[in-house]
């Protein structure tokens, strides 16, 4: 994720951005002072670049934001760091543990597709996205999207870990949307609900009930001596309710015994990560919840350092994670800050919120691409235009909710969503397919593979659950979704595996109509 530009390119980009601000006419003594400080900082930065100092400190990043109106992503990108790749690196290093994931969209001016006109009747039956969305808005920026009235601000996103998901009915690797709940629901939980629960040594996602002040887990599965009762707000905190989950179905199979949270001698306070008063306390809490043996980190450290272009030494860790509260006077290199976030688990945006003591650290700031595109600052105001809300409004709010509140997965993984509209299918009657948990219910959206595939060699008869391939066959207004079975020379779609299996025969001529499910966003019942 660290790919620095050449010295010449960096100097040219710096000169262009400086020229934008030289065109401003100071209107007061304070403006003159700001302009002098900006020029002084620009000269200092150019001198450092010429002598090869391309690894900035966090304080340099802050000055880039203050003097040149750069967003956090723009300031990091200027030095070669691509913040949008943090999520991928986090999945590689920390995917074994349930945790918050990066949901902040650093690419503020990234252009995406947004629906404009929706067909209401398409939501009364199974439909492809091209049937549900009849026209699109192209080139909408993330900045414009997040200013819309309907954009959620109470939703957080987490990933179910591969090693600590014993109690969860959700598949390992799934991305979940978590919405905060009122105190009344915390003390009277929905028996069908799946909640994200915070413990001193990690997170669990499952149902629960209350016995007085004791929270009793309702695990999906349990083995051995799994503890089930905890004191509410002392041993466990209810973060919120999981409304939807998304999963990309990889071709690789996920095997191995599931585990519960590891027992450690450390315990983190039951608070949200971004509310910690200092980086040291944030990283200490992350270490307690994302516990990994030192042998694991010695193994992955070369990968982390190669990606960031810095050496994350034990001395660096002690200085910023185990020492006194020194953040006010010393901040690490920008690459070190990313490395420490990945090492101890908090999302990078939560780290920045602690540094800035603010949630709006990018308000009114612009991407590097936009700053380099314009010839004067006035053009930035013209480019930031209003977007038209999709209509009909009620249908849009339904679609918006079904797609996980338009989570980072949608515009982040699929910015040109309109190009996939023939591969995205909405399920209208999920009760036709059972046998996996949770049920793919009405309002779930499936991403289908582009072309039919040769199905003669599908060696997954012995697989179970989400390790078994899902296929879809659409016939008019009916959609059959299930596992594929070959028996006595014929192909069947098993649409209700379990005690009441229903085998739907597939004629040879229709095999080419089968599509494999590559991923989905599914709603949970309420």
């Amino acid at each position: 994720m660290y790919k620095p530009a050449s010295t010449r390119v960096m100097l040219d980009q710096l000169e262009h951005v400086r020229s934008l601000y030289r065109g401003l006419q100071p209107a007061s003594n304070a403006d003159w002072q700001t302009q002098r400080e900006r020029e002084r900082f620009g000269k200092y930065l150019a001198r450092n670049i010429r002598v090869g100092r391309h690894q900035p400190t966090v304080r340099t990043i802050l000055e880039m934001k203050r003097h040149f109106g750069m967003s956090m992503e723009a300031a990091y990108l200027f030095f070669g760091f691509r913040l949008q790749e943090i999520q991928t690196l986090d999945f590689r290093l920390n995917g074994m543990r349930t945790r918050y994931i990066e949901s902040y969209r650093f690419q503020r001016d990234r252009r995406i597709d947004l629906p404009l006109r929706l067909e209401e009747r398409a939501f009364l039956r199974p439909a492809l996205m091209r049937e549900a969305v009849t026209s699109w808005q192209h080139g909408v920026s993330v900045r414009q999207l997040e200013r819309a009235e309907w954009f959620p601000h109470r939703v957080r996103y987490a990933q179910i870990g591969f090693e600590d998901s014993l109690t969860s009915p959700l598949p390992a690797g799934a991305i979940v949307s978590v919405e905060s709940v009122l105190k009344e629901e915390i003390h009277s939980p929905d028996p069908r609900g799946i909640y994200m629960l915070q413990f001193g040594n990690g997170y669990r996602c499952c149902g629960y009930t209350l016995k007085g002040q004791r929270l009793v887990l309702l695990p999906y599965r349990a083995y051995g001596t799994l503890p089930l009762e905890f004191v509410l707000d002392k041993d466990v905190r209810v973060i919120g309710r999981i409304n939807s989950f998304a999963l990309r179905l990889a071709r690789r199979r996920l095997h191995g015994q599931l585990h519960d949270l590891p027992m450690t001698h450390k315990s983190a306070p039951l608070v949200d990560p971004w509310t910690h008063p200092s980086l040291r306390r944030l990283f200490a809490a992350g270490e307690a919840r994302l516990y990994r043996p030192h042998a694991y980190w010695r193994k992955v450290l070369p990968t982390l350092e190669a990606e960031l272009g810095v050496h994350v030494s034990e001395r660096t860790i002690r200085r910023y994670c185990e020492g006194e509260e020194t953040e006010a006077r010393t901040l690490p290199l920008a690459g070190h800050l990313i490395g420490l976030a990945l090492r101890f688990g908090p999302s990078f945006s939560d780290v920045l919120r602690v540094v800035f003591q603010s949630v709006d650290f990018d308000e009114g700031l612009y991407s590097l691409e936009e700053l380099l595109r314009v010839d004067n600052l006035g053009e930035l105001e013209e480019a930031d235009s209003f977007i038209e809300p999709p209509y009909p409004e009620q249908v849009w709010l339904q679609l918006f909710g079904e797609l996980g509140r338009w989570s980072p997965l949608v515009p982040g993984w699929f910015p040109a969503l309109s190009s996939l509209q023939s591969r995205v299918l909405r399920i209208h009657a999920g009760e036709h397919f059972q046998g996996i948990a949770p049920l793919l219910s009405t309002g779930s959206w499936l991403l289908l593979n582009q072309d039919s595939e040769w199905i003669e060699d599908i060696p997954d008869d012995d697989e179970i659950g989400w390790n078994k391939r899902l296929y879809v066959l659409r016939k008019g207004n009916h959609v059959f979704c299930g596992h594929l079975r070959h028996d006595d020379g014929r192909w069947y779609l098993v649409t209700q595996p379990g005690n009441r299996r229903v085998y739907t025969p597939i004629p040879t001529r229709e095999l080419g109509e089968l599509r494999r499910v590559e991923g989905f966003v599914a709603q949970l019942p309420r």
Side-chain angles (χ1 to χ4, degrees), residues 2 46 80 102 105 145 150 153 173 180 275 278 299 349 370 377 421 425 497:
Y2 176 61
E102 188 56 76
R105 298 166 178 86
L145 180 69
W150 36 260
H153 297 285
S180 59
T275 62
S278 67
K299 178 181 177 181
S349 58
E370 287 295 291
L377 295 177
Q421 56 185 338
L425 175 70

Side-chain angles (χ1 to χ4, degrees), residues 142-249:
V142 169
R143 180 193 310 278
Q144 294 170 296
L145 180 69
E146 294 190 351
R147 288 179 178 174
E149 296 178 351
W150 36 260
F151 197 83
H153 297 285
R154 294 195 308 149
V155 178
R156 295 278 294 182
Y157 299 92
Q159 184 188 32
I160 305 297
F162 288 93
E163 290 185 359
D164 60 1
S165 55
L166 177 66
T167 61
S168 175
L170 300 167
I175 305 298
V176 300
S177 64
V178 185
E179 192 160 357
S180 59
V181 293
L182 299 176
K183 187 175 181 180
E184 291 76 12
E185 184 171 354
I186 292 176
H187 290 278
S188 182
D190 186 338
R192 301 180 304 164
I194 302 176
Y195 296 86
M196 187 169 180
L197 309 176
Q198 184 185 51
F199 297 82
N201 60 338
Y203 299 93
R204 292 183 176 99
C205 296
C206 63
Y208 75 92
T209 187
L210 284 181
K211 290 182 179 180
Q213 286 300 308
R214 299 191 72 82
L215 183 147
V216 183
L217 296 182
L218 301 176
Y220 180 67
R221 61 180 76 82
Y223 301 103
T225 58
L226 175 69
L228 296 178
E229 293 193 13
F230 303 87
V231 179
L232 183 64
D233 295 331
K234 179 181 178 182
D235 301 327
V236 59
R237 169 174 168 256
V238 180
I239 293 177
R241 182 169 181 170
I242 297 175
N243 292 323
S244 61
F245 71 105
L247 185 67
R248 300 191 75 168
L249 298 177

